[in-house]
Every structure is written in C-alpha cells, then in structure tokens.
Amino acid sequence: MSAPHRLDRGHTDDLMTFLAASPTPYHAVANAAERLEKAGFRQVSETDAWDAETEGASGSGSGGKYVLRGGAIIAWYVPEGAAPHTPYRIVGAHTDSPNLRVKPLPDTGAHGWRQVAVEIYGGPLMNSWLDRDLGLAGRLTLRDGSTRLVNVDRPLLRVPQLAIHLDRAVSAEGLKLDKQRHLQPIWGLGDDVRDGDLIAFLEEESGLGAGQVTGWDLMTHSVEAPAYLGRDKELVAGPRMDNLLSVHTGVAALTAVAGSEPPYIPVLAAFDHEENGSQSDTGADGPLLGGILERSVFARGGSYEDRARAFAGTVCLSSDTGHAVHPNYAERHDPTHHPRVNGGPILKVNVNNRYATDGSGRAVWAAACEKAGVPFQSFVSNNSMPCGTTIGPITAARHGIKTVDIGVAILSMHSVRELCGADDPHLLANALVAFLQG
C-alpha cells in the first residue's frame, strides 16, 4: 500500500488555479495583487509621496502595501509601531518563464501557411514546445499610454514537428532545431499575409477599436491545464512552476503573516527577467527593491543610518525551483545529494557563489524549517557540470543583505510542462511563514 498523503491539498489546488490563470508575468502580478487586496493590502504609487500614513505605521490601519511595475510586484507589511530601523524578512522570486515571444513584425507565413514570428525568451527546452496547442497572452499598450491584459486561452497556434519520414536521421542523431527556422508557429491558412493581422485580431478579442494598440508584449503558452499525476496523485504536472510556484507560495505566506505583528517587516519581491539576466527596471539587478525598502524606512521618519541598520539585519530567501534527482539520469547529479520530490524544500549551495547560501544563512533556514516542522534537503551541482544561478547572488551583492537560496525540487525544468511533488508547495509555504514571522 502507498503511504497516506501528509498534507491537505488545498494549497496545491490553489497553486494549480494560479498557474492556469497566469500565462505571463503581467497576469501573474495582477493575480498576486488581487489576492493581496483580498487580504487587506492596498496598492501605492511610486510617483506619490510616501509618509507614515502611506506605510500604515501611524495607527492608520493595515500596513499591507504593494507596488506594481510591469511584470514585477513588491509587497510588504509594516507592523504597528515598527521603528525605522526594523529589519526586513524578504521572500524573493521571479515571475518570468522561458517561452516563445512575439516579434515587432509578427505577421509572416509561407507556402499557404499563416504564421506568427517569434523570438526565443530565456532557455526553454525547445522540443517541449513542438506539437502543443498554444494560446497567446500578454500586455497591450494603447495610444493613450494605458495597458490592457489579453489572454487568448484556447488552441490558437502550433509549432508542428517535421515527420520522421522526412527526417530519418532524428532517431540516430537526435532532434536538431534551428531557433530561427523551426519554431515559428502556424495559426491559419492563406497566402495573403497582411501586416497588422495579429494585432487586429487581439484588438477584437479584447473589445478594442481598430488601431488602438500601438505596443505589445506578447508570448505563447500551452493551454493544457495543470493536473495531478500518478497512481496516488502525489505529483503535479503544469506550466511555469519555474518560478510561479514560488510567487504563489510567497503571496500565501505574506498574507498569512500580515496582521500577526512580527518583529520584522515581511516582504515579497517577485521580479521579472530572471531568465535572461535580471538586468531591467523590473529585474532583480535593477533598483526596484532597494528603492522601495529605502522609501519605507524614510516614510517612517528614518535616516540613512536607520536604512543602514535595517539592511544590515535583513535576510532574504531567494525561492526558486531546483532539480530533483532524475531516475533516468542520476549520474548527472551529485552522487551524495539527491533531492526527492515530496521530501521537503531544498537548500541550494554553491561555493562559487552561483547560489548565495553560506553557513550562517543555512542556520536561518534550518531554524525556520524546524519551527514549521518541515523537513528540508540540500542541493549541490555535480562538480563536472556547470551550476545554474538565481536572483540570490544578485540580491545579496546589490543590496548588501544576507541571502539564502532555497526552493522546491522539480523535474523537466524549463519545459513547457514541469513536474513537482504535490506536497512540496505546501511544505515550502509553511517554512516561509515561519521565516517571515521570525
């Protein structure tokens, strides 16, 4: 007989709903904001002046606030009476995932097929995008400068693979894809390809008048819904777990802690553009997080000295998915570090600072897991293979704050459809709550 499930699946059910509703970073932060609003948080504008009233630290009600900028969201809760030098406890994550993104001149085609011109974003497992029913979603910018989210969440596009009869070498030599020639999806028939067709279609889908859209940030996504998998449904298959799993879990942990008056100021920082280096105004290598934390200090009457004290006592958990041991490729993993799904979240370590964890950071993470009653596992890369990285080292170096890299172990990372254990998201959430509470 199989072991009984240890956890209520409500958290994982909600994660699956969040994944399905968040095909792009813009949708992810909008959905995160909606959940924060329901928990009493309110949006503040970066262009407004901030003061004690803004921070909610002067008897003016909830101290839960958030800032939206593009595909990034920073949310924080200021406990009543928090001093200007109160340190932060931060959960860091990213909202973007590798995919196919629409080019500035999207309308193309050949030989009677109408196609959409796309560019490769990040490092996707390109073969996983073949022969999938794909939708199209993103952000439309209108003539007046306002933006509108769009989500065509039905089979609209497809990247057809070449039949084996026309590529006999594929069995012996493996699939070889040219990023320019082989990944342009089809979306119809006809030789009369006209510039503007795709955007006109999206204007109609969005209820907009012709010619209103002057800018766009559009990307493809698989329309297959997340699902439990396996005989005992102990696994979850779904899109964009890297890294919306951490975004969802961070929102859940922050809203759970808000109102409990922790000794720290709990923060969720979910950035865009991690998959291509984080160097943007919404990426972890930009000034967004530091500027907001500093403004929070100053809005509570603090000085630069208070800011320095607050940052010196701050700890960030950089939460991102990591690699579970693969049963078919165990030799690719470190022989003594084999994280298993449903074995609890992982602590990521790399002595060359591809991850930001050190011994003192490990102790912070271990204390949070012990408090929450959550087991955790350690991950290091095989010495013979290059190690990936996260927003962790960037956050530590840019802001001078202690940062620890953690996450959930998954399979098929960067595939259009990834795989995790059904219990691990909830275990991570419990550990993050304990961390934010201090």
Side-chain angles (χ1 to χ4, degrees), residues 243-267:
N243 187 33
L244 294 188
L245 187 157
S246 293
V247 175
H248 171 267
T249 304
V251 171
L254 179 61
T255 55
V257 169
S260 64
E261 305 308 312
Y264 301 96
I265 296 174
V267 179

Side-chain angles (χ1 to χ4, degrees), residues 134-154:
L134 302 176
L136 191 64
R139 179 179 65 174
L140 303 173
T141 302
L142 310 187
R143 287 188 177 279
D144 62 3
S146 63
T147 59
R148 180 80 62 89
L149 295 183
V150 62
N151 183 11
V152 183
D153 194 30
R154 64 177 186 272

Side-chain angles (χ1 to χ4, degrees), residues 11 14 31-42 62 64-66 73 75-77 91 247-262 266-268 429 432-433 436-437:
H11 178 91
D14 191 60
N31 290 323
E34 182 179 2
R35 290 160 183 258
L36 290 166
E37 290 277 354
K38 290 180 179 178
F41 286 66
R42 65 180 179 87
S62 171
K65 306 294 182 293
Y66 67 92
I73 185 169
W76 67 104
Y77 176 82
V91 173
V247 175
H248 171 267
T249 304
V251 171
L254 179 61
T255 55
V257 169
S260 64
E261 305 308 312
V267 179
L268 170 67
L432 294 186
V433 168
L436 292 177
Q437 285 177 331

Side-chain angles (χ1 to χ4, degrees), residues 183-204:
L183 291 170
Q184 308 305 311
I186 61 173
W187 76 305
L189 299 174
D191 291 307
D192 58 335
V193 176
R194 297 179 299 272
D195 289 342
D197 276 0
L198 180 67
I199 300 306
F201 165 76
L202 294 175
E203 286 174 332
E204 184 177 354

Side-chain angles (χ1 to χ4, degrees), residues 20-373:
S22 304
T24 75
Y26 313 110
H27 290 82
V29 298
N31 290 323
E34 182 179 2
R35 290 160 183 258
L36 290 166
E37 290 277 354
K38 290 180 179 178
F41 286 66
R42 65 180 179 87
Q43 185 176 1
V44 293
S45 172
E46 293 184 82
T47 59
D48 290 343
W50 292 9
D51 53 23
E53 186 77 13
T54 304
E55 284 294 280
S58 60
S60 58
S62 171
K65 306 294 182 293
Y66 67 92
V67 165
L68 284 179
R69 185 194 289 186
I73 185 169
I74 311 293
W76 67 104
Y77 176 82
V78 179
E80 186 71 30
H85 61 269
T86 301
Y88 298 95
R89 282 285 176 104
I90 305 168
V91 173
H94 67 88
T95 61
D96 59 320
S97 302
N99 56 19
L100 310 179
R101 301 202 173 189
V102 175
K103 290 183 175 180
L105 300 176
D107 299 292
T108 187
H111 307 292
W113 295 100
R114 302 181 69 180
Q115 294 175 278
V116 174
V118 297
E119 190 173 2
I120 312 304
Y121 178 82
L125 286 172
M126 293 188 295
N127 63 291
S128 71
W129 287 85
L130 302 178
D131 298 328
R132 294 273 185 178
D133 295 335
L134 302 176
L136 191 64
R139 179 179 65 174
L140 303 173
T141 302
L142 310 187
R143 287 188 177 279
D144 62 3
S146 63
T147 59
R148 180 80 62 89
L149 295 183
V150 62
N151 183 11
V152 183
D153 194 30
R154 64 177 186 272
L156 180 69
L157 308 109
R158 185 180 178 92
V159 182
Q161 186 171 347
L162 184 64
I164 193 171
H165 312 79
L166 304 178
D167 186 16
R168 294 293 185 180
V170 69
S171 296
E173 299 176 8
L175 181 64
K176 298 178 181 179
L177 295 173
D178 183 284
K179 294 179 179 180
Q180 178 62 41
R181 294 184 294 126
H182 298 153
L183 291 170
Q184 308 305 311
I186 61 173
W187 76 305
L189 299 174
D191 291 307
D192 58 335
V193 176
R194 297 179 299 272
D195 289 342
D197 276 0
L198 180 67
I199 300 306
F201 165 76
L202 294 175
E203 286 174 332
E204 184 177 354
E205 286 283 314
S206 304
L208 297 169
Q212 283 190 254
V213 174
T214 56
W216 53 87
D217 303 278
L218 300 167
M219 55 204 77
T220 60
H221 66 277
S222 171
V223 298
E224 185 179 3
Y228 286 107
L229 184 144
R231 184 189 67 178
D232 298 314
K233 298 182 178 180
E234 66 264 74
L235 302 170
V236 173
R240 299 175 295 280
M241 291 182 183
D242 177 19
N243 187 33
L244 294 188
L245 187 157
S246 293
V247 175
H248 171 267
T249 304
V251 171
L254 179 61
T255 55
V257 169
S260 64
E261 305 308 312
Y264 301 96
I265 296 174
V267 179
L268 170 67
F271 302 100
D272 201 353
H273 302 131
E274 188 271 349
E275 298 293 354
N276 62 8
S278 295
Q279 292 185 323
S280 71
D281 69 322
T282 54
D285 203 18
L288 180 60
L289 175 63
I292 288 174
L293 298 186
E294 288 178 350
R295 292 183 71 178
S296 174
V297 169
F298 299 150
R300 283 176 278 123
S303 63
Y304 183 82
E305 181 73 9
D306 291 310
R307 178 261 187 218
R309 294 175 64 190
F311 278 43
T314 292
V315 183
C316 174
L317 292 185
S318 166
S319 181
D320 203 345
T321 55
H323 302 294
V325 60
H326 196 301
N328 300 336
Y329 301 91
E331 73 281 1
R332 303 293 181 96
H333 299 264
D334 182 86
T336 59
H337 294 77
H338 282 173
R340 298 189 177 193
V341 297
N342 287 337
I346 57 174
L347 175 75
K348 303 179 185 180
V349 178
N350 180 263
V351 295
N352 293 302
N353 213 40
R354 300 292 285 173
Y355 303 130
T357 307
D358 63 9
S360 61
R362 185 187 194 280
V364 173
W365 171 243
C369 289
E370 182 178 4
K371 179 180 178 181

Side-chain angles (χ1 to χ4, degrees), residues 352-433:
N352 293 302
N353 213 40
R354 300 292 285 173
Y355 303 130
T357 307
D358 63 9
S360 61
R362 185 187 194 280
V364 173
W365 171 243
C369 289
E370 182 178 4
K371 179 180 178 181
V374 169
F376 74 90
Q377 309 174 82
S378 294
F379 171 84
V380 296
S381 290
N382 186 304
N383 289 345
S384 299
M385 303 191 69
C387 180
T389 191
T390 68
I391 66 167
I394 295 171
T395 303
R398 182 168 185 85
H399 305 295
I401 59 179
K402 180 176 293 297
T403 304
V404 188
D405 272 293
I406 55 98
V408 163
I410 69 171
L411 292 182
S412 305
M413 187 183 295
H414 286 199
S415 172
V416 75
R417 196 167 177 84
E418 297 161 324
L419 185 73
C420 78
D423 289 338
D424 283 331
H426 194 185
L427 290 170
L428 175 63
N430 289 344
L432 294 186
V433 168

